[in-house]
Amino acid sequence: MFTLDQVVPWGRSFEEYQRMFGMTSHELGLRILGCGDGPASFNAKATRLGTKVISCDPIYRYDVDQLRSRIASTYDEIMEQTRRNADEFVWNTIRSVDELGQVRMAAMNDFLDDYPAGKAEGRYIDAELPALPFNDASFDLAFCSHFLFLYTTQLGEAFHRSAIQEMCRVAAEVRIFPLLALGATPSPLVVPMVDEFREQGFNVSIESVPFEFQRGGNQMMRIRRAIADG
């Protein structure tokens, strides 16, 4: 089973973000926050398209050379685990482990190329859940990719509750993908979080998206504050 002891830097592409979160072209005009974005290239390409995106992650306290070194030290472990557990993944869009490495490194290199300018412009902020340095309702959308639920065992239920609460504080809508833990197993925290935030008055839905790489990982959680009648 694919497993990691701690959160590691591993980035997805802009196109993968679009599919993971079911994004429409209209939504690229909104104010977007990426939580735990790591070395993803979403911010880099979205910014080139004119989208207003801020990414937050504690790894943004490091400079570009340090990040490049951390990615390099992580790469071999993730690739080896993927080879050993290839049956946990769907090899349709990405057809082999070698191609996966090429796709992921292309995304992370795009991030590394953009990072110095993006950090200077305030697009990459050293911050982490569950305490974000933003005012209430600062964003229209907040995304969390491959962090919450994926690291169910490592982070625990209390952390998930606090982190989702914080995302709901700073954004009108929250989307989390995937709803699987490492090992391509359903996270046992999904149902408790759905119940918790519905009890708080949020509209919470589990929605299928046009993306599946972890086998069975083709759903996101969408959380929106209920609109009062009248």
Side-chain angles (χ1 to χ4, degrees):
M1 184 175 72
F2 192 109
T3 186
L4 295 165
D5 294 331
Q6 59 186 348
V7 180
V8 298
W10 194 242
R12 278 82 185 174
S13 69
F14 173 87
E15 291 77 16
E16 288 176 307
Y17 264 61
Q18 285 186 299
R19 290 185 288 136
M20 289 188 299
F21 295 113
M23 292 183 65
T24 66
S25 56
H26 161 74
E27 288 170 343
L28 290 176
L30 302 178
R31 300 168 301 165
I32 298 174
L33 172 68
C35 295
D37 272 351
S41 66
F42 176 75
N43 192 315
K45 184 165 182 179
T47 297
R48 293 195 293 268
L49 294 173
T51 300
K52 295 181 180 178
V53 182
I54 289 179
S55 297
C56 60
D57 195 295
I59 71 167
Y60 300 153
R61 68 192 58 172
Y62 302 111
D63 64 30
V64 68
D65 291 331
Q66 290 171 313
L67 289 177
R68 196 182 307 276
S69 176
R70 292 194 66 186
I71 289 168
S73 66
T74 298
Y75 180 86
D76 288 341
E77 177 186 2
I78 292 183
M79 295 299 290
E80 177 56 30
Q81 286 226 42
T82 304
R83 290 184 196 280
R84 293 202 310 264
N85 300 283
D87 59 332
E88 295 180 13
F89 302 93
V90 177
W91 302 100
N92 290 339
T93 304
I94 297 173
R95 299 188 179 276
S96 68
V97 177
D98 289 339
E99 184 179 345
L100 173 68
Q102 294 167 5
V103 169
R104 291 287 179 266
M105 283 307 303
M108 291 188 284
N109 283 330
D110 192 7
F111 159 79
L112 290 168
D113 289 343
D114 180 64
Y115 180 68
K119 191 169 184 180
E121 294 163 4
R123 291 189 284 110
Y124 296 109
I125 294 179
D126 170 13
E128 60 188 302
L129 293 167
L132 300 175
F134 308 114
N135 294 329
D136 294 356
S138 294
F139 301 92
D140 301 303
L141 291 174
F143 295 149
C144 186
S145 158
H146 294 85
F147 178 58
L148 295 176
F149 299 126
L150 189 69
Y151 292 95
T152 287
T153 301
Q154 294 85 348
L155 299 176
E157 183 171 348
F159 181 92
H160 278 74
R161 182 180 298 107
S162 297
I164 295 171
Q165 191 79 58
E166 181 72 345
M167 292 175 70
C168 290
R169 179 185 70 80
V170 302
E173 180 174 323
V174 170
R175 299 180 192 176
I176 303 168
F177 178 91
L179 306 184
L180 299 180
L182 289 167
T185 59
S187 170
L189 297 182
V190 170
V191 171
M193 293 303 105
V194 169
D195 292 344
E196 168 85 20
F197 286 88
R198 282 178 177 166
E199 289 176 5
Q200 291 188 32
F202 291 93
N203 289 325
V204 185
S205 57
I206 304 298
E207 302 179 14
S208 296
V209 297
F211 181 91
E212 183 181 9
F213 184 56
Q214 274 184 295
R215 192 171 298 280
N218 61 349
Q219 293 181 315
M220 72 171 177
M221 182 181 293
R222 185 197 299 254
I223 306 172
R224 292 169 286 188
R225 188 171 296 280
I227 300 174
D229 294 336

